[in-house]
Amino acid sequence: MENELEVSHILQTWYKTNKRMLPWRESSDPYIIWISEIILQQTRVVQGMDYFLRFTGRFPDVASLASAEEDEVLKYWQGLGYYSRARNLHAAAKEIMEKFGGVFPEKHKDILSLKGIGDYTAAAIVSFVWNKPYPVVDGNVFRVLARLFAMDVPIDTTQGKKQFTELAGIVMDPKQAGQHNQAIMEFGALQCVPQNPDCEVCPLKERCMAYASGTVQDLPVKQNKTKTRARYFHYLYIIYRGQTWLSRRGKKDIWEGLYEFPLIETEKPMDFAGLQETEAFRKLFTGAGRLNISSDMAEVKHVLSHQVLYTTFYRVEIEKIPEALNSYLAVPYEDIERYAVPRLIHIYLEKLNGNLSE
DNA sequence: AAGACGGGGGA
DNA sequence: TCCCCAGTCTT
């Protein structure tokens, strides 16, 4: 056989005996494949599994997703992160209803035009579902190819992406695109792992240029240096006759579309005495009568990919409803759980409920 | 071409 | 701690 296809055949053979049993692999429904691919973006299989089952249980097809409220879609995404995935999923479902008559499009170009679907996901869907010859290039593929061919061009550059995509197309057996794509990703996830891969049992050992030169640990190369900034959040859990107040986070910041308690953000760390003297605090509680305040959680450090949040929760009982709260959403306590909230707030609420039942 | 966007798990 | 995970969108 041609040397070009040999790698693909080895990967496919390896795949047949080593692949994991995963629910989305039982389906050939493009909708189901789509949902699984979006959930698995930047997300491990174990982390996404429950979300996939719940999400497809509640939204089994394009029509059910399209007709849902965005808040409910976000609720099903709560805790998973990268919430634009959920918003885009919802928007794309509506697009499919309107532009494609509710039928998931089959053309690569049409699929790529949907919100939240980029090169990787479009290739995954058309190859898995219809065996179309588009190579997938995800984190696994970058790693496998970088090592196999000792490619040291950084993967997070335009040049790098172009070169790896081209190489992925050359390595792929076009007649077995779906299985090949599944195989090379699974191989990266289970065998050619980022740290300390067991190269001695690797079926591509003899062909791996990085193995030959002892550079497996150095590949792939990234030039990316993400820097994080610190932010200081002060959440006010306001209590008045069985209700509290929430607001929906807006665009151009983290957690868009999720709900949270009234928030005061400060430039610097600040204790409660300092917080009380801020304009925002005064404005929020003018007309609230006497405040009965307790801090249920000391400062919590919450780490995101580009931010570190130093957060304090204050539980504040008020005597009257201040004017400023009219711009917030009044919610009975027992309804808080209906709203999608950031993980950080979910943890706070769990702790609060735990303390109540102790 | 760079940054932003969550949260979790492994070494 | 640092790195990475079946990436995409915005600036």
Side-chain angles (χ1 to χ4, degrees):
Chain A
M1 212 52 227
E2 262 41 57
N3 209 345
E4 305 212 333
L5 295 183
E6 220 171 314
V7 167
S8 183
H9 292 166
I10 292 169
L11 287 170
Q12 291 181 59
T13 300
W14 176 92
Y15 180 66
K16 285 170 190 163
T17 58
N18 292 283
K19 69 173 177 179
R20 292 166 289 184
M21 295 291 284
L22 300 171
W24 44 88
R25 289 195 174 144
E26 309 301 314
S27 175
S28 58
D29 178 351
Y31 173 80
I32 296 296
I33 303 302
W34 174 41
I35 301 300
S36 72
E37 290 305 330
I38 301 297
I39 286 178
L40 292 172
Q41 285 171 7
Q42 298 295 289
T43 305
R44 292 165 194 279
V45 165
V46 287
Q47 190 188 354
M49 180 71 77
D50 289 344
Y51 284 88
F52 169 82
L53 296 172
R54 280 200 303 270
F55 196 96
T56 53
R58 169 62 186 86
F59 310 111
D61 49 35
V62 175
S64 58
L65 179 57
S67 63
E69 293 294 325
E70 181 176 296
D71 276 0
E72 190 186 6
V73 178
L74 281 171
K75 183 65 189 178
Y76 275 79
W77 213 266
Q78 175 178 301
L80 193 53
Y82 282 167
Y83 298 94
S84 66
R85 291 184 292 175
R87 299 193 307 270
N88 287 336
L89 213 44
H90 186 226
K94 291 185 166 183
E95 276 183 76
I96 294 172
M97 295 307 289
E98 291 163 17
K99 295 182 191 166
F100 302 103
V103 179
F104 200 97
E106 197 165 329
K107 287 157 74 176
H108 179 266
K109 187 183 162 195
D110 290 337
I111 294 173
L112 192 55
S113 77
L114 295 169
K115 274 190 180 160
I117 297 188
D119 290 334
Y120 163 75
T121 305
I125 293 172
V126 297
S127 68
F128 295 175
V129 178
W130 296 288
N131 200 36
K132 295 190 181 184
Y134 290 84
V136 293
V137 184
D138 74 333
N140 294 304
V141 176
F142 277 124
R143 188 169 56 255
V144 172
L145 295 179
R147 289 171 175 171
L148 200 48
F149 298 99
M151 301 255 291
D152 59 1
V153 53
I155 62 173
D156 53 353
T157 61
T158 305
Q159 263 305 307
K161 281 173 187 136
K162 190 181 166 193
Q163 287 187 33
F164 278 99
T165 301
E166 188 183 341
L167 191 52
I170 294 171
V171 169
M172 178 181 70
D173 176 357
K175 301 280 190 233
Q176 306 283 340
Q179 183 166 261
H180 167 87
N181 282 339
Q182 300 254 22
I184 192 169
M185 287 194 291
E186 190 79 334
F187 186 78
L190 300 181
Q191 169 62 44
C192 196
V193 294
Q195 301 299 325
N196 308 314
D198 186 2
C199 296
E200 294 314 309
V201 302
C202 178
L204 292 173
K205 180 169 68 167
E206 278 79 20
R207 292 173 174 76
C208 182
M209 294 174 65
Y211 179 76
S213 60
T215 55
V216 169
Q217 287 290 1
D218 306 323
L219 295 170
V221 173
K222 277 192 175 178
Q223 66 172 27
N224 176 17
K225 334 156 191 336
T226 65
K227 38 180 174 279
T228 64
R229 67 176 168 129
R231 299 175 74 176
Y232 305 92
F233 281 13
H234 312 272
Y235 278 122
L236 290 316
Y237 179 34
I238 302 174
I239 310 280
Y240 179 78
R241 295 189 182 172
Q243 74 176 24
T244 188
W245 285 264
L246 300 176
S247 77
R248 194 173 198 264
R249 289 187 64 89
K251 294 186 182 302
K252 303 196 174 189
D253 201 349
I254 56 173
W255 302 330
E256 180 185 338
L258 272 61
Y259 289 81
E260 64 186 357
F261 297 123
L263 167 66
I264 296 175
E265 180 173 1
T266 57
E267 291 293 323
K268 301 284 178 188
M270 194 171 284
D271 61 13
F272 185 68
L275 188 67
Q276 274 183 300
E277 292 171 19
T278 62
E279 174 70 12
F281 189 94
R282 195 188 56 72
K283 201 170 171 184
L284 190 59
F285 290 108
T286 295
R290 197 178 58 83
L291 307 183
N292 185 9
I293 296 159
S294 59
S295 184
D296 297 283
M297 259 162 90
E299 191 164 90
V300 178
K301 184 179 175 185
H302 190 69
V303 180
L304 308 180
S305 51
H306 290 74
Q307 303 180 16
V308 182
L309 309 180
Y310 295 94
T311 304
T312 309
F313 288 88
Y314 296 99
R315 189 172 172 282
V316 184
E317 292 180 46
I318 57 177
E319 292 182 330
K320 290 179 292 185
I321 298 178
E323 191 73 20
L325 284 183
N326 290 338
S327 58
Y328 290 83
L329 184 67
V331 175
Y333 306 152
E334 59 268 29
D335 286 355
I336 296 179
E337 64 186 44
R338 296 169 181 270
Y339 295 86
V341 299
R343 179 82 180 127
L344 174 67
I345 290 181
H346 185 68
I347 291 169
Y348 171 71
L349 292 169
E350 296 245 292
K351 182 178 172 178
L352 225 52
N353 291 333
N355 288 344
L356 283 178
S357 60
E358 276 169 13

